[in-house]
Amino acid sequence: MSTIFSKIIKGEIPCNKVLEDDDFLAFHDINPRAPIHILIIPKVEYKNFQSVDPKLMEKMTKFIHKVAAHMGLDKSGYRLVTNNGEDSGQEVMHLHFHMLGGAKLTWPHVADADTKKFI
Ligand code: AMP
């Protein structure tokens, strides 16, 4: 399986890079949902969080901390989100974390029990 993120890792498609090491890449989201919206991906392909090798997450957590510090978000705060599977609306089937910050973020209602609408 090859996604657009695999092409970015191989350099076949450009990205606005934030940080990179041997195992991970962080780049700005093309369609930002916050003043700072960064995607953080492993270079090894996992479909999503549910299928990732938990051992990778220790290294990935350290890399995520570095990205936050690099952007100054370690001080101001940020939201970390990963969409996982169909119901979450995951579009790119390559594990990625969204790092959102640079403003006071609102926290949406996840479920409205009356209207049965879900955000
Ligand atoms: P998700 O819905 O969690 O799978 O998120 C996929 C994200 O990838 C979306 O926020 C897109 O805006 C972003 N995206 C898709 N293509 C690119 C690209 N070429 N460069 C940067 N971000 C991208």
Side-chain angles (χ1 to χ4, degrees):
M1 190 178 62
S2 190
T3 68
I4 192 158
F5 290 173
S6 299
K7 292 191 173 78
I8 287 173
I9 291 163
K10 288 183 208 149
E12 294 168 7
I13 292 178
C15 71
N16 188 358
K17 187 164 47 175
V18 175
L19 271 185
E20 182 175 17
D21 70 9
D22 288 346
D23 301 310
F24 305 102
L25 176 64
F27 54 97
H28 292 278
D29 196 293
I30 206 167
N31 182 23
R33 307 289 182 106
I36 299 173
H37 184 171
I38 294 167
L39 299 175
I40 302 166
I41 65 174
K43 291 186 178 177
V44 174
E45 194 170 79
Y46 289 100
K47 186 177 169 191
N48 55 33
F49 184 72
Q50 194 60 32
S51 59
V52 72
D53 181 347
K55 290 192 202 103
L56 183 86
M57 289 310 302
E58 184 179 349
K59 270 183 148 180
M60 191 158 189
T61 299
K62 288 178 185 166
F63 185 77
I64 290 168
H65 289 174
K66 268 190 207 169
V67 174
H70 181 78
M71 298 301 295
L73 296 176
D74 56 333
K75 305 274 188 305
S76 54
Y78 60 90
R79 182 170 299 151
L80 197 64
V81 177
T82 186
N83 289 321
N84 189 92
E86 190 180 341
D87 277 1
S88 74
Q90 181 182 3
E91 287 175 0
V92 180
M93 298 301 159
H94 181 128
L95 171 66
H96 53 282
F97 287 90
H98 298 258
M99 179 177 279
L100 301 150
K104 297 266 183 222
L105 305 176
T106 57
W107 183 242
H109 295 283
V110 170
D112 181 330
D114 292 333
T115 62
K116 305 287 185 219
K117 281 186 184 159
F118 298 90
I119 298 170

